[in-house]
Amino acid sequence: QVNFVRYMQDRKTLRVDPKLLIKDLWFEKVPVRIYQLKAPSASQRRGLMFFHGGGWVFGSLETHERLCRSIARESESVVVSVGYRLAPEHKYPAAYEDCLNATIHFMKNAEHYGVDPANITVCGDNAGGNLAAAVSQTLAGRSDLPSLRAQVLIYPGLQALDFNLPSYHQNRGVPPLFRERAAFYMLQYLDGNASNLEEVLEGSHIPIDIKLNYGKWVSPDHIPPKFKVRGYKPHVLLDCSTKIYETVKRFCEPNLCPLLAEDAVVQQLPQSFILTCEYDVLRDDGLLYKKRLEDNGVPVTWYHLEDGFHGIINSFDTDCLSFPSGKRALDNIVNFLKSL
């Protein structure tokens, strides 16, 4: 099933873009696709590292080709799309390591591509938003590299402690990302084993004391009331067995779940853009991270699509279905990038 979906996704081919020079390269051992404007520039351009979505299991350079082309053209940026290794064949931290290594390579060689090393942003949607957040946190403390200019997180999935936040219940049956699939993909990325899916969904995979400790960051109490009016009932805390926790304890690692990073790390993060959608199970992950960033003094530009759903950013210009809100989201991201 996984291989068939990947095959169908990668069959899309687009015509040559007259405004862009597009090349497939390798950064270290990671395949990347770089998008550069053909028109000369009087000064160095901004750079954007893009990590595609797809639940760490799906997605490729091809699935986000149209989006990367549009961002490169409209924001006049050099865009590097990263073809990181996918789960379950390649488990955590493979995808994170690929994105981190490709980003460091680009930062060290930015001027070769006509890019200002001090104006590089990381960006991703869905699982790619998770990877962008993790890479941004890792690089925040590096003194041997220029600081990242910004991070753009498009409906990111940022935690796996609580799949009972309001948005997970309100949108549990809203396509294309059902609540059960969100947890399934996270388990696939963790270790390729979804045998504890039911425990993860009901919340009996993390001991109560650990959940209470992280409650200062991951809790429905931190979600604004207006997001709870659409049918939300508080969830009862369940304890878990040591055996189950041992299999998923890496869910507490910030490189896997960036929402759990310490304040000392969050304080160092760059200017941020967060896109959330009302009809998306991952909405509250974005809202909680927005609060954490703001509480730590990080400037945040937040754009919420009241009529948006998960994956809408890829539907701004498709042949069969096109949603105006997808184009609005893209326009806001482009405007944010141009302001840097």
Side-chain angles (χ1 to χ4, degrees):
Q1 182 185 16
V2 168
N3 288 333
F4 177 72
V5 173
R6 289 178 185 166
Y7 169 74
M8 294 302 291
Q9 286 182 335
D10 288 348
R11 291 184 67 202
K12 300 173 185 173
T13 54
L14 298 178
R15 291 189 293 272
V16 172
D17 191 308
K19 294 185 177 180
L20 294 175
L21 181 66
I22 302 172
K23 285 190 280 190
D24 286 350
L25 302 170
W26 291 82
F27 282 2
E28 305 300 326
K29 296 179 180 179
V30 184
V32 301
R33 182 167 294 166
I34 187 163
Y35 303 81
Q36 296 170 283
L37 284 168
K38 290 180 180 177
S41 174
S43 58
Q44 291 179 316
R45 296 194 186 277
R46 66 181 65 84
L48 182 88
M49 296 297 300
F50 185 86
F51 313 134
H52 66 77
W56 301 278
V57 175
F58 301 111
S60 66
L61 300 176
E62 274 67 36
T63 57
H64 289 63
E65 168 94 359
R66 193 187 298 265
L67 177 60
C68 287
R69 286 186 180 195
S70 292
I71 293 174
R73 275 196 315 266
E74 296 181 28
S75 71
E76 298 183 343
S77 303
V78 174
V79 175
V80 178
S81 182
V82 180
Y84 58 84
R85 288 170 291 170
L86 298 175
E89 299 94 328
H90 304 282
K91 301 169 181 60
Y92 168 77
Y96 157 75
E97 289 176 343
D98 285 356
C99 292
L100 177 63
N101 291 335
T103 301
I104 291 173
H105 178 93
F106 187 58
M107 295 176 86
K108 288 180 175 178
N109 297 277
E111 294 187 19
H112 176 72
Y113 301 99
V115 168
D116 179 0
N119 196 351
I120 295 175
T121 293
V122 290
C123 172
D125 66 313
N126 180 324
N130 168 289
L131 295 166
V135 166
S136 187
Q137 290 179 3
T138 301
L139 295 177
R142 291 279 294 258
S143 58
D144 58 324
L145 293 168
S147 298
L148 286 172
R149 183 66 183 85
Q151 59 176 349
V152 174
L153 311 179
I154 303 168
Y155 33 76
L158 299 169
Q159 59 85 33
L161 264 61
D162 191 349
F163 287 94
N164 292 287
L165 293 168
S167 62
Y168 283 96
H169 274 288
Q170 293 164 344
N171 304 308
R172 61 188 178 275
V174 178
L177 184 62
F178 303 121
R179 171 174 172 262
E180 181 181 318
R181 300 310 285 178
F184 173 81
Y185 291 139
M186 186 64 91
L187 285 166
Q188 289 294 296
Y189 180 38
L190 174 67
D191 63 5
N193 181 0
S195 60
N196 294 323
L197 180 61
E198 287 307 313
E199 289 82 3
V200 170
L201 286 169
E202 70 181 11
S204 61
H205 63 304
I206 303 289
I208 285 181
D209 60 326
I210 294 178
K211 268 189 280 199
L212 290 174
N213 179 51
Y214 284 120
K216 58 192 172 185
W217 301 328
V218 185
S219 167
D221 295 342
H222 305 316
I223 303 295
K226 71 174 185 175
F227 292 104
K228 298 177 186 176
V229 296
R230 207 161 39 88
Y232 167 69
K233 293 179 182 177
H235 184 70
V236 177
L237 279 181
L238 301 174
D239 211 344
C240 82
S241 69
T242 304
K243 180 181 176 184
I244 288 177
Y245 175 60
E246 281 300 311
T247 66
V248 300
K249 63 183 179 183
R250 298 186 82 183
F251 277 162
C252 296
E253 295 181 14
N255 288 343
L256 180 58
C257 295
L259 187 55
L260 307 184
E262 294 296 327
D263 285 341
V265 174
V266 177
Q267 288 165 8
Q268 300 180 70
L269 292 175
Q271 185 175 346
S272 304
F273 179 101
I274 297 179
L275 173 74
T276 54
C277 295
E278 179 60 29
Y279 300 98
D280 180 6
V281 290
L282 301 183
R283 179 197 70 198
D284 292 351
D285 285 30
L287 294 178
L288 291 173
Y289 203 47
K290 169 182 176 287
K291 183 180 188 305
R292 288 219 57 206
L293 291 165
E294 291 173 339
D295 287 350
N296 281 280
V298 178
V300 178
T301 299
W302 173 52
Y303 188 66
H304 182 67
L305 286 173
E306 295 284 357
D307 57 348
F309 55 86
H310 190 81
I312 199 166
I313 196 75
N314 268 338
S315 70
F316 70 95
D317 185 27
T318 54
D319 298 328
C320 50
L321 284 173
S322 189
F323 295 90
S325 50
K327 183 65 169 70
R328 290 202 312 275
L330 177 60
D331 289 344
N332 273 268
I333 292 168
V334 167
N335 290 338
F336 173 77
L337 293 172
K338 291 172 83 169
S339 73
L340 299 175

